[in-house]
């Protein structure tokens, strides 16, 4: 059985890295959407949501780097072009949306998309004893479940 640089079975690690690239694409698309939401939000909740969107995109930005570095640790190559992100992301580009409630509903859906994909990757990584990927994604899921709860609470 061939192993990679960190001692994981290579074929399985390659599958995990490929799915992590899909996750990376979704995170990058969500990051871009959040930037747009931050810039374009209007209405009564402007101050609250403007700050919240900045908090969320800063968090996503850190995760993007962590995911890319995990792909590298698995001997993979992280995607790095917007074209690749758009081809591989299930989260879609949103432009010129200003309504806070509509944005919050989209964010709930997008965070659910991330969690579904992260749970798929967890199962894949578990079969290879990939504790590094599991730890990273378990932490993300815990945070995102709370974020979904808070976004839904804001929606009423």
């Amino acid at each position: 059985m061939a192993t990679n640089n960190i001692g994981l079975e290579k074929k399985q690690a390659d599958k995990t890295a490929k799915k992590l690239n899909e996750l990376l694409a979704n995170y990058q698309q969500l990051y871009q959407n959040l930037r747009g939401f931050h810039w374009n939000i209007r209405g009564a909740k402007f101050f609250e949501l403007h700050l919240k969107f900045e908090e969320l995109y800063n968090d996503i930005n850190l995760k993007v780097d962590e995911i890319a570095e995990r792909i590298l640790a698995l001997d993979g190559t992280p995607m790095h072009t917007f074209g690749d992100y758009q081809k591989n992301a299930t989260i879609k580009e949103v432009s010129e949306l200003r309504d806070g409630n509509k944005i919050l509903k989209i964010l709930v859906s997008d965070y659910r998309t991330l969690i579904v994909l992260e749970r798929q990757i967890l199962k894949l990584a578990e079969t290879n004893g990939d504790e590094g990927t599991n730890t990273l994604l378990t932490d993300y899921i815990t945070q995102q479940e709370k974020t979904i709860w808070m976004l839904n609470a804001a929606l009423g």
Side-chain angles (χ1 to χ4, degrees), residues 95 124 135:
S95 64
L124 187 60
T135 299

Side-chain angles (χ1 to χ4, degrees), residues 22 25-26 29 84-92:
E22 185 181 331
N26 280 287
Q29 187 58 64
D84 283 340
Y85 299 147
Q86 289 182 322
K87 278 191 284 185
N88 290 281
T90 51
I91 293 174
K92 296 303 174 199

Side-chain angles (χ1 to χ4, degrees), residues 81-134:
T81 68
F82 285 112
D84 283 340
Y85 299 147
Q86 289 182 322
K87 278 191 284 185
N88 290 281
T90 51
I91 293 174
K92 296 303 174 199
E93 177 182 287
V94 179
S95 64
E96 298 185 33
L97 188 58
R98 291 173 170 78
D99 180 88
N101 283 343
K102 288 180 183 176
I103 291 170
L104 293 176
K105 288 176 184 174
I106 288 170
L107 289 175
V108 167
S109 176
D110 289 349
Y111 276 98
R112 284 183 183 148
T113 296
L114 293 177
I115 289 173
V116 167
L117 184 53
E118 288 161 349
R119 288 181 178 145
Q120 292 171 2
I121 298 167
L122 276 177
K123 288 179 185 172
L124 187 60
E126 284 173 9
T127 64
N128 201 22
D130 183 353
E131 294 301 322
T133 299
N134 283 345

Side-chain angles (χ1 to χ4, degrees), residues 56-70:
L56 292 172
Y57 73 65
N58 283 332
D59 177 64
I60 294 291
N61 191 43
L62 293 172
K63 286 177 171 61
V64 161
D65 193 54
E66 291 172 344
I67 294 165
E69 289 175 353
R70 187 66 196 165

Side-chain angles (χ1 to χ4, degrees), residues 122 133-143:
L122 276 177
T133 299
N134 283 345
T135 299
L136 187 70
L137 296 185
T138 300
D139 290 346
Y140 289 3
I141 290 168
T142 301
Q143 279 184 316

